[in-house]
Amino acid sequence: MTPRDVGAVFDAAGEEFAVWSPRLWRPLGEIAVAVGRPRPGERVLDACCGSGASALPAARAVGAHGTVDAVDVAEKLLQQGRLAASQEGAQHLRFVNADVTAWHGDQPYDLVQCCYGVFFFPDTDAGTRHLISLLRPGGRLVVTSWLAGGMARIVPVAREAIAAVRPDVAAEFDRPNASERIDTEAKLRHWLADLGLGNITVDTAVYRQPLHPDDAWSFLRGAALRGLLERLDQGELDAVARRFRQELHRAGMHELDASSIIAVGHSDR
């Protein structure tokens, strides 16, 4: 998808995304920031910031003498982030609607963090190299990704449900998935090393949520799969929702496994 397409998908998913933020995105954002450890006074870029799950805790960490630029293509998610920042009085945090793969700050950053975003870049490697180029010498890049065997469990269930109604749309699942390139500690470490980063550390965060079928459906509608669901008419969407709940029951899936891997790499420039 192009950046414009990604923005349109998450704009459409804004309501469901907001429902899931307290249960999923905010806790995971806090964990990422706890690993990346922004310091008071630092300049931070939060790439693919969404509604600010990691940008807000980063702003708290750097304090009023630091700055956080939070960049995303989904304006409706940015609006949620601006409201939260206003409520916290975080004037040093700004949310910007832009394609981060073409973003240039006015100064190099001490820290660039990208939570669950690099696999949405049109070119994952080129987009991430651009983020690295925005770091000061010795600056750090934090990347989070889904751990293999976790979040991916829900994808085949969704595929089967869609395939029963619209096989042509379900065929989109068969395309290469960029997230699979970085879904283990070893893969993520080697990938960042190949991009030129050094002193790389990788941590695993186990994070699971009880999952009611209705909640699972709202999760799909608030995630990237919304892009496929938008291609269905209302009758087809209702049929997929019914089938999805049936498939969840058949698969015995009663939790959402959002376990993640978090890598920190340092620029050697």
Side-chain angles (χ1 to χ4, degrees):
M1 292 189 290
T2 67
R4 183 186 297 270
D5 294 334
V6 174
V9 167
F10 283 97
D11 276 341
E15 182 176 343
E16 291 83 2
F17 190 96
V19 168
W20 271 89
S21 285
R23 291 180 58 183
L24 184 67
W25 303 117
R26 290 179 199 163
L28 291 175
E30 294 276 3
I31 292 169
V33 171
V35 173
R37 306 192 72 78
R39 305 181 187 107
E42 286 194 320
R43 288 177 47 79
V44 177
L45 170 64
D46 192 303
C48 309
C49 66
S51 60
S54 50
L56 285 158
R60 296 182 206 116
V62 301
H65 295 294
T67 60
V68 178
D69 292 334
V71 179
D72 202 285
V73 290
E75 177 60 26
K76 290 188 177 179
L77 300 190
L78 293 170
Q79 291 172 7
Q80 296 173 21
R82 292 186 190 110
L83 176 60
S86 176
Q87 291 171 339
E88 291 195 17
Q91 297 180 356
H92 57 296
L93 165 58
R94 64 168 178 160
F95 287 88
V96 184
N97 189 331
D99 173 8
V100 78
T101 64
W103 173 261
H104 291 279
D106 54 4
Q107 297 180 48
Y109 292 98
D110 299 293
L111 170 65
V112 174
Q113 54 189 31
C114 188
C115 296
Y116 315 101
V118 295
F119 30 75
F120 289 114
F121 295 162
D123 184 322
T124 303
D125 291 356
T128 307
R129 285 194 182 97
H130 177 70
L131 297 185
I132 294 169
S133 76
L134 301 177
L135 290 168
R136 66 164 175 79
R140 354 196 256 293
L141 175 72
V142 175
V143 173
T144 68
S145 184
W146 305 117
L147 181 65
M151 186 67 77
R153 290 183 59 216
I154 201 169
V155 176
V157 178
R159 187 195 188 287
E160 290 305 311
I162 295 174
V165 178
R166 284 285 302 273
D168 59 318
V169 175
E172 298 289 331
F173 284 87
D174 299 329
R175 293 183 177 182
N177 185 345
S179 66
E180 294 178 353
R181 293 182 57 199
I182 53 172
D183 62 1
T184 69
E185 289 191 9
K187 287 181 183 178
L188 186 52
R189 184 189 302 275
H190 292 155
W191 176 66
L192 291 178
D194 286 344
L195 293 178
L197 294 178
N199 191 21
I200 299 166
T201 60
V202 186
D203 290 281
T204 294
V206 176
Y207 190 85
R208 299 187 177 98
Q209 280 279 309
L211 190 64
H212 186 279
D214 291 341
D215 292 344
W217 180 242
S218 75
F219 171 75
L220 285 190
R221 289 176 60 83
L225 286 174
R226 178 68 175 248
L228 297 182
L229 299 178
E230 288 287 297
R231 295 169 56 180
L232 309 178
D233 63 33
Q234 189 58 53
E236 293 169 337
L237 195 62
D238 291 343
V240 168
R242 289 192 297 271
R243 185 63 178 253
F244 177 67
R245 293 182 178 97
Q246 293 169 359
E247 293 290 340
L248 277 178
H249 179 73
R250 185 176 294 114
M253 189 175 298
H254 304 298
E255 70 174 13
L256 182 70
D257 188 346
S259 296
S260 303
I261 41 179
I262 308 162
V264 182
H266 292 72
S267 171
D268 291 332
R269 295 185 299 111

